[in-house]
Amino acid sequence: MTKDDQAAEQIAMRGLLGEVTADLGVPLARGWEEAFWAVPRHRFLPDRVWLGDGLDSRDRSTDPSGWLSAAYADDSVVTQINDGHDPGEDEPWPSSSASAPSIVFRMLDMLDVKRGHRVLEVGTGTGWNAGLLAHRLGAESVTTVEVDPVLAVQAALNLKKVGLEPEVIGGDGAAGYVASAPYDRIIATCSVREVPRAWVDQARSGGVILTPWESPWVCYGLVRLVVDAEGLASGWFHPHSAFMLMRNQRTDLRIFRDVVRDDHQPDESSTTLPPSAVAGDDWAAQFAIGLQTQDVWRTWHDDPDVDGVSSRLWLATTDATSWAAVDWDGRSNDRFTVWQYGPRRLWNEVEAAHAWWHNVGRPGPERFGLTVKTDGTHAPWLDRPDQMVSRTG
């Protein structure tokens, strides 16, 4: 490595540290800043990464400055597409990524680790997050689990190159890793729709579970749970973050392939609630609707080949038995056509969920909480555990 390369890396790291500090609003704690410098992010990224929704690639060999800029931008970078398989003629899609550094350090701060804590990380990815933890706590205190065997091997190599050797396990992170349990802290770098019971069982009394959260409706938020002596886990949601879903909780559903059929005869009605109010840029509304509908997902269809329709919001259940569509003609802002099919009236459910959210003061994620009961059932609540959030369907 030339002196110019080293200088460029140092400048890039200083710039990122400034961006992270600005995003968090406070300087990094001393221990995390030391880890930041000792465990350089670029040492964990593959030679080819992808950026943005368009998955524009940056190759270290042909565009070293572009690659380094991606490594030290305060943004996520995709590190694997299509589960590591050549997409061929299929559409490429992201299957693993390195999270934005500001959310990495925000979550590490929320984890509130102390010297002597044992930590389980679910979703090793590149190994950078595990490296930061290992530097702070000691490698012997960190176990990290990665479902993708190729990524697990590469992460272990990345860690070893910076002098860190936490326990890297190839396996299903939903099962935790009982051999090294119990844990004082469990952190996931993938989102979940249900907190695996194994995590709760493998946490000490008073232990913390921190994981990104998503519903089929929207991928948004974090949940921080504290486990009690009886095996109950309860805590608050927080805003921020959108992570890839844990692989064993994925659903691969498409409207025209899996849900809508030519012989379906939907019922027609109308609504004054704009589709954008429930599936637009209001993340608080989307989060609340997702907690209530639980198994309803949605997708936009812009400029469908339908006379008089400018855009269409599709809704469907994850079991593909019910669906709805809400059409906007591109002109009216107070009347939208609704089509519904199946045993459930999904748009009615979404309208009711939105009305409830509006009537209780339009709360953001930070006013909601979650309790994972000893039988594994999940109970979301508003403001306090006895104010349960009811399911719509």
Side-chain angles (χ1 to χ4, degrees):
M1 180 184 294
T2 67
K3 289 184 177 180
D4 287 344
D5 290 336
Q6 291 177 328
E9 290 171 2
Q10 291 290 305
I11 291 170
M13 291 181 74
R14 285 193 208 100
L16 176 58
L17 185 60
E19 289 187 56
V20 170
T21 298
D23 186 89
L24 298 181
V26 293
L28 283 181
R30 180 178 177 182
W32 292 126
E33 183 171 350
E34 290 174 354
F36 173 86
W37 288 106
V39 187
R41 189 183 191 227
H42 73 275
R43 299 285 297 274
F44 290 80
L45 297 184
D47 289 340
R48 188 182 187 192
V49 297
W50 296 264
L51 309 178
D53 294 337
L55 293 179
D56 298 321
S57 65
R58 297 289 186 274
D59 194 292
R60 189 176 191 176
S61 62
T62 59
D63 184 12
S65 62
W67 182 89
L68 187 65
S69 294
Y72 285 106
D74 188 18
D75 204 353
S76 61
V77 294
V78 174
T79 55
Q80 184 196 69
I81 59 173
N82 298 68
D83 287 339
H85 304 298
D86 184 352
E89 296 182 358
D90 294 333
E91 183 178 352
W93 47 273
S95 53
S96 188
S97 67
S99 303
S102 58
I103 190 61
V104 168
F105 285 105
R106 185 182 297 277
M107 290 178 66
L108 290 173
D109 183 64
M110 291 173 66
L111 198 61
D112 190 28
V113 295
K114 302 288 192 297
R115 180 64 68 171
H117 278 171
R118 291 195 58 78
V119 178
L120 171 68
E121 179 196 41
V122 175
T124 314
T126 66
W128 187 51
N129 199 69
L132 296 170
L133 282 164
H135 184 274
R136 180 76 183 267
L137 298 174
E140 69 282 357
S141 297
V142 178
T143 299
T144 180
V145 183
E146 171 57 52
V147 69
D148 188 306
V150 174
L151 293 182
V153 169
Q154 185 59 54
L157 291 173
N158 293 342
L159 287 158
K160 191 171 184 177
K161 287 176 182 177
V162 296
L164 296 168
E165 296 189 60
E167 191 170 27
V168 180
I169 303 299
D172 182 2
Y177 188 64
V178 71
S180 297
Y183 302 100
D184 301 280
R185 299 290 187 267
I186 296 174
I187 182 171
T189 63
C190 53
S191 64
V192 298
R193 294 176 178 174
E194 292 186 353
V195 176
R197 183 64 212 178
W199 298 359
V200 182
D201 292 339
Q202 292 173 28
R204 293 185 189 275
S205 176
V208 171
I209 298 172
L210 178 63
T211 180
W213 177 264
E214 77 167 71
S215 65
W217 190 263
V218 65
C219 177
Y220 181 65
L222 301 168
V223 64
R224 187 183 190 273
L225 307 173
V226 178
V227 180
D228 69 15
E230 282 70 46
L232 195 78
S234 191
W236 294 94
F237 286 105
H238 300 263
H240 315 295
S241 90
F243 282 69
M244 294 178 187
L245 186 63
M246 177 178 282
R247 290 194 185 185
N248 70 358
Q249 294 187 15
R250 285 176 182 171
T251 51
D252 180 19
L253 292 170
R254 301 180 189 179
I255 287 292
F256 295 112
R257 187 192 67 187
D258 305 308
V259 181
V260 177
R261 298 287 182 264
D262 290 340
D263 61 347
H264 288 177
Q265 297 295 320
D267 297 324
E268 181 181 359
S269 59
S270 65
T271 183
T272 58
L273 180 65
S276 59
V278 298
D281 295 330
D282 193 331
W283 295 103
Q286 290 203 60
F287 184 84
I289 289 168
L291 282 184
Q292 295 173 83
T293 56
Q294 295 189 21
D295 64 344
V296 181
W297 58 283
R298 50 83 177 175
T299 187
W300 284 100
H301 192 177
D302 293 318
D303 298 319
D305 189 17
V306 180
D307 289 342
V309 178
S310 178
S311 67
R312 173 173 285 174
L313 174 65
W314 288 100
L315 292 64
T317 52
T318 53
D319 66 3
T321 60
S322 298
W323 60 264
V326 187
D327 291 344
W328 179 51
D329 62 11
R331 301 184 304 276
S332 174
N333 291 315
D334 58 3
R335 186 180 184 279
F336 307 88
T337 302
V338 178
W339 308 92
Q340 300 191 89
Y341 176 84
R344 291 169 59 182
R345 306 287 86 175
L346 297 188
W347 181 250
N348 295 22
E349 293 183 23
V350 169
E351 281 188 314
H354 183 269
W356 174 84
W357 171 75
H358 189 275
N359 291 336
V360 296
R362 302 168 63 90
E366 65 281 355
R367 281 184 56 193
F368 290 97
L370 179 72
T371 297
V372 181
K373 299 181 180 180
T374 54
D375 63 359
T377 58
H378 287 45
W381 39 268
L382 176 67
D383 293 332
R384 60 178 193 264
D386 63 340
Q387 290 190 165
M388 307 295 293
V389 175
S390 298
R391 177 172 175 164
T392 60

